[in-house]
Amino acid sequence: MLSRHFLLLSVLLAIVCVSTIATSGADAPTLPAPLSDDSFLYDGAPGDQLVELGRNLFFDPILSGNRNISCGTCHDPKLGSGDGLALGIGEGGVGVGPDRSTETAVTGRVPRNAQPLWNIGAREYVSLFHDGRVELLEDGKRIRNPAGGHLPEGVSDVLVAQAFFPVTSAIEMAGQLGENPVANAAFTEDRPEVWRVLATRVAAAPDYLDMLRAAFPDVAGADDVTYTHLAEALAAFQTVAFRSDESPFDEILRTGDLSLLSAEARSGLTLFYGKANCASCHSGPLLTDHAFHAIAMPQIGPGKGHGRDFSYIAKTGLAGRTEDEGRYRVNRDTDDLFAFRTPSLRNVTLTGPWGHSGAFDELEEMVRHHLNPMESLEGFEGSTVVLPPLDQVMRLSGRGSDFGYAALDPGQQAAFDLRDTWVMQSPALRTRIAAENDLPTIDLTDDEVRQLIAFLEALTDPSAVDRSHIVPKAVPSGLAPQPAR
């Protein structure tokens, strides 16, 4: 609880202390100060050599166990820095965005929606991932993270720390036991070995070693390369590549001139900061309080397999629990059951599907959920969410230390597919989510909803619609950059 309260206080103080500009008009809200270079890591200008190294690593499948998926596969600069899917297909998939499918057998979908990366290099981010499991603690020095004390010393920022973990996930980038050395280490949760193998692999590519030498004074030879070097380069690249502060909203923050918006969007801005109460959570220049809230968000897929409900196992005979208890699983604070981090609304029109499990694929549906979360949850139909089919599935089998993966029996495919909608079809599990809701009901007319959406559209930076030009045509590993076009 102390850590949580400290982080909330820190963010609130930062928002209060920042200089604000009053827009014209007696009833106009007070808006936050605009983003500037010093709002970002490296004061917005990391070294070119470090950024170029990070750019190549971000789109190079070399960081995946089977060399078949990159960071850019799920964070596509042409798809709002996400993948356009409610829940993506990670390792074992082929194709881009909504056209992605299983190329080899997979164990399931990525359990949470791919988060957009806009302005992810801003200094005010104190936690990352939907549940904040990578976060700066109250002393301002230590970083809470899934690896605990195994995270190397000297990792100074949450964005650098974040880059250590997708590569250790079997379903995202590592692969499954028996497929490659990275996957084998990930299966036993030997994260330092995952990082060592990947650093060695990258350093063995002559062009990468040259880039590492140019970017880091402490790298003379391949033996000097650590995963920390790679993570720092990835953070530097993301800070530059996904900075986005050229929307109409940004121009208003810089000038205070509300006339830059349409009349409908101006009304929406007034609603956002007033009657609709959006700014109580979506505050500051990034439109997030960086806190965690339970808002009765519907869940698609089996989530992280939390909770004590074994009804899916009893029904299907297939292993797996199907709840995602969110922030609670990080801090064990029961006040945070089913709570997830407030997302930034920057470029929100580009970042759907929305929600921690991508439950809503229409922005208006997401807005209306916030206005009446209980009604939305009760009426939600999980079967209407479009997910790419998992045509090839495998599951863990074996006993004792003799583990392996075997193809799912075709007769069990229908039972496996029930995972996608199980939580929403279970009155007991739906009730658990509803019981933790903290969001009040707000009455808006249809016209007011349209006005609010018009304001959200003004948060779109035109340059963010398609940044596929940042994908290199070739990478030092010789592999095909991902996403492929």
Side-chain angles (χ1 to χ4, degrees):
M1 287 294 292
L2 179 62
S3 173
R4 178 186 180 208
H5 290 159
F6 176 84
L7 292 174
L8 284 171
L9 180 60
S10 298
V11 170
L12 289 173
L13 287 174
I15 294 170
V16 170
C17 292
V18 72
S19 61
T20 59
I21 56 175
T23 56
S24 58
D27 298 325
T30 298
L31 302 179
L35 294 168
S36 59
D37 287 348
D38 60 7
S39 302
F40 295 88
L41 300 175
Y42 314 95
D43 289 331
D48 291 343
Q49 293 167 323
L50 187 62
V51 171
E52 184 62 13
L53 172 61
R55 182 173 83 107
N56 281 272
L57 289 170
F58 190 88
F59 296 107
D60 194 335
I62 194 172
L63 292 185
S64 62
N66 289 321
R67 296 176 172 89
N68 60 358
I69 188 171
S70 77
C71 307
T73 308
C74 295
H75 298 286
D76 189 334
K78 193 174 183 177
L79 295 173
S81 73
D83 61 5
L85 294 166
L87 300 173
I89 297 175
E91 203 287 326
V94 63
V96 177
D99 295 326
R100 193 160 172 80
S101 60
T102 53
E103 181 178 44
T104 59
V106 300
T107 59
R109 307 183 191 281
V110 177
R112 290 174 178 164
N113 181 257
Q115 292 188 286
L117 302 181
W118 303 116
N119 297 308
I120 198 70
R123 296 184 191 277
E124 71 176 73
Y125 275 102
V126 292
S127 68
L128 292 174
F129 293 110
H130 285 287
D131 55 14
R133 61 186 180 275
V134 170
E135 65 177 326
L136 187 67
L137 295 179
E138 61 265 26
D139 59 11
K141 298 178 181 179
R142 292 176 299 142
I143 296 176
R144 191 210 307 255
N145 70 93
H150 292 296
L151 187 72
E153 293 184 6
V155 175
S156 57
D157 183 80
V158 293
L159 185 55
V160 177
Q162 181 275 338
F164 278 79
F165 295 101
V167 297
T168 68
S169 167
I171 207 166
E172 292 183 49
M173 295 184 75
Q176 307 302 327
L177 177 67
E179 291 181 344
N180 64 76
V182 172
N184 294 342
F187 183 80
T188 60
E189 297 190 350
D190 187 351
R191 295 183 179 95
E193 178 64 7
V194 170
W195 302 327
R196 186 197 67 78
V197 171
L198 292 175
T200 300
R201 181 189 290 180
V202 170
D207 288 348
Y208 267 132
L209 186 55
D210 288 344
M211 297 176 77
L212 283 155
R213 287 192 185 109
F216 295 101
D218 61 331
V219 174
D223 291 343
D224 299 318
V225 177
T226 69
Y227 193 84
T228 300
H229 293 117
L230 312 185
E232 289 180 359
L234 287 166
F237 167 69
Q238 291 174 81
T239 298
V240 172
F242 297 106
R243 178 171 173 173
S244 180
D245 56 354
E246 296 297 332
S247 69
F249 178 70
D250 288 295
E251 189 64 18
I252 290 169
L253 297 188
R254 286 189 282 266
T255 66
D257 184 4
L258 282 180
S259 70
L260 296 169
L261 295 181
S262 68
E264 191 170 45
R266 286 199 301 273
S267 297
L269 181 148
T270 301
L271 286 165
F272 187 93
Y273 286 96
K275 178 181 177 182
N277 201 32
C278 307
S280 63
C281 296
H282 294 285
S283 55
L286 296 182
L287 302 171
T288 171
D289 60 3
H290 302 282
F292 301 86
H293 303 281
I295 62 170
M297 187 62 65
Q299 183 189 315
I300 297 301
K304 289 284 190 175
H306 300 155
R308 298 180 180 178
D309 184 272
F310 294 94
S311 59
Y312 174 77
I313 300 173
K315 173 71 173 181
T316 66
L318 298 176
R321 290 171 287 177
T322 55
E323 295 169 89
D324 193 330
E325 295 178 327
R327 179 66 173 172
Y328 167 72
R329 284 290 169 155
V330 174
N331 63 11
R332 295 294 177 171
D333 183 345
T334 54
D335 288 342
D336 280 332
L337 271 166
F338 301 106
F340 295 88
R341 188 166 62 85
T342 305
S344 169
L345 295 184
R346 291 302 190 126
N347 297 317
V348 67
T349 60
L350 308 177
T351 59
W354 296 271
H356 70 274
S357 65
F360 295 106
D361 60 7
E362 294 291 338
L363 185 56
E364 181 175 339
E365 293 177 343
M366 186 63 168
V367 169
R368 290 187 182 277
H369 174 85
H370 283 71
L371 301 178
N372 194 332
M374 303 304 287
E375 180 180 84
S376 173
L377 179 69
E378 184 60 29
F380 185 81
E381 291 290 341
S383 60
T384 64
V385 177
V386 178
L387 293 167
L390 300 183
D391 296 322
Q392 302 182 65
V393 179
M394 60 182 173
R395 62 179 181 134
L396 190 65
S397 62
R399 295 182 178 181
S401 60
D402 187 19
F403 284 110
Y405 283 86
L408 187 70
D409 186 319
Q412 295 179 309
Q413 183 68 47
F416 182 86
D417 290 342
L418 288 175
R419 292 153 50 99
D420 290 338
T421 56
W422 190 263
V423 172
M424 289 298 95
Q425 290 179 353
S426 167
L429 297 182
R430 194 188 290 249
T431 298
R432 279 201 75 204
I433 295 173
E436 304 301 329
N437 174 58
D438 292 327
L439 204 60
T441 298
I442 297 174
D443 292 324
L444 294 186
T445 66
D446 289 346
D447 283 343
E448 288 174 324
V449 171
R450 283 193 293 272
Q451 292 163 2
L452 192 55
I453 292 174
F455 169 65
L456 295 179
E457 290 170 347
L459 305 178
T460 301
D461 178 344
S463 75
V465 174
D466 183 358
R467 290 193 180 175
S468 55
H469 66 276
I470 66 177
V471 182
K473 296 186 183 301
V475 289
S477 69
L479 299 168
Q482 296 267 1
R485 296 297 180 195

